[in-house]
Amino acid sequence: LVEDITGGDWDKNKQLADQTFQKLETAEAKPATKYSLEQYAKFEIALYESAEAKAYLFTERGITYDTARKLHFGFCQNLETLNKKFKDDLKPIADNGWILMPAVDGDDVICIEGRSMVEKEFVRKTGMEGTCLFGLNFIDWSEPVYLVEGKFDQAMFIQAGFRAVSLPNATANLTPKMRDMLMSASVVILAGDNDGGAGTNRMVKLWNEFQERTFRLVWPDGKKDANQTFLETCKRDIECFRKLVD
């Protein structure tokens, strides 16, 4: 099947893919929790009121508060605010601040991911959508969309004036619905991690699958991703990053 659906253009094979995966999508499952943007707004207000969180985004990642607002980034001080229960090994950093990054679909927040401000740790809010694209509202049929696999990388593209969406992670499988959404853009540019491992493999695999109207961007000078390229190659110059991507 994989050989069949990757051997031709996307439009020609879409019907086969839909038929194959239909049962997986229609299987009975407990409805995922959703929040309205109005309900989620308390976390956005918390980010606005936290000088420490805004400083972390700008100092450590080069992300401005204006960009964070466009992506509805939020903040909570303690991980327990996001999930009452979490792994024991997260307890030492649970109260050290978490940047919240939501997946928004229309007026609904369908997934929330928390990123520790002191360690490279990610936590998803339980009960919400498990596999989804972050940044659906940035997809437009008339413009190219860049696909990355990190929310901070997505933020760099948004900050530079591009349209971008993020995979949930490097190993997540795209559902037929997610693929349709991506292919609704005029062009898809795969700009994920070039780490020689899971990130690179994911981008190459998607490139082989999509084929039509799809291109792959490879980061220069051994840089892993958009955020590292912006910080180290472009020295935080957003115009340099924009020109480099073009």
Side-chain angles (χ1 to χ4, degrees):
L1 173 64
V2 173
E3 292 179 353
D4 288 343
I5 66 174
T6 59
D9 63 75
W10 172 255
D11 292 331
K12 186 182 297 181
N13 294 307
K14 177 181 179 300
Q15 184 176 1
L16 174 60
D18 287 346
Q19 292 172 348
T20 303
F21 294 106
Q22 185 177 15
K23 292 183 179 179
L24 294 177
E25 287 198 323
T26 57
E28 291 186 7
K30 182 179 179 181
T33 301
K34 295 181 181 181
Y35 297 98
S36 67
L37 282 171
E38 185 177 358
Q39 291 172 312
Y40 173 82
K42 62 182 180 181
F43 296 118
E44 295 184 82
I45 294 172
L47 177 63
Y48 171 75
E49 294 178 342
S50 174
E52 180 184 12
K54 288 184 287 188
Y56 166 81
L57 285 172
F58 186 72
T59 303
E60 298 296 324
R61 295 292 181 168
I63 299 171
T64 65
Y65 175 63
D66 183 58
T67 299
R69 284 186 61 192
K70 291 177 181 177
L71 290 162
H72 296 284
F73 280 7
F75 171 75
C76 68
Q77 186 64 48
N78 194 294
L79 184 55
E80 194 174 44
T81 304
L82 190 65
N83 288 327
K84 293 297 182 183
K85 296 181 180 180
F86 47 85
K87 297 186 297 183
D88 288 341
D89 57 357
L90 293 177
K91 289 183 178 180
I93 62 172
D95 197 35
N96 293 107
W98 295 77
I99 301 296
L100 303 184
M101 297 165 286
V104 179
D105 187 0
D107 294 325
D108 293 322
V109 174
I110 60 176
C111 180
I112 302 175
E113 183 177 278
R115 169 65 154 86
S116 169
M117 289 169 50
V118 295
E119 297 286 348
K120 192 175 181 180
E121 293 286 352
F122 296 85
V123 175
R124 289 284 183 87
K125 181 166 179 58
T126 56
M128 303 192 78
E129 188 71 41
T131 302
C132 58
L133 293 173
F134 286 68
L136 293 176
N137 54 311
F138 292 107
I139 298 177
D140 188 285
W141 67 270
S142 64
E143 296 184 37
V145 63
Y146 291 81
L147 179 67
V148 300
E149 59 188 77
K151 293 74 187 175
F152 292 152
D153 295 325
Q154 180 193 10
M156 296 321 311
F157 277 97
I158 300 303
Q159 194 160 298
F162 298 108
R163 294 181 178 274
V165 298
S166 173
L167 294 169
N169 55 63
T171 59
N173 291 318
L174 297 181
T175 65
K177 180 180 178 181
M178 292 162 66
R179 293 167 185 267
D180 289 348
M181 290 176 177
L182 280 173
M183 295 306 291
S184 68
S186 64
V187 171
V188 177
I189 302 174
L190 306 174
D193 290 4
N194 298 144
D195 54 8
T200 299
N201 292 339
R202 166 57 62 183
M203 291 299 109
V204 172
K205 181 180 179 182
L206 289 175
W207 195 22
N208 289 331
E209 290 177 2
F210 288 156
Q211 296 190 28
E212 185 182 6
R213 296 183 289 112
T214 305
F215 299 87
R216 181 171 171 236
L217 183 155
V218 179
W219 300 108
D221 305 320
K223 298 299 184 270
K224 176 186 175 183
D225 54 31
N227 197 230
Q228 185 182 17
T229 301
F230 170 72
L231 295 173
E232 298 179 9
T233 301
C234 293
K235 310 298 182 184
R236 295 173 172 265
D237 184 339
I238 200 65
E239 185 60 30
C240 167
F241 181 79
R242 185 181 298 113
K243 290 180 179 179
L244 185 64
V245 170
D246 281 337

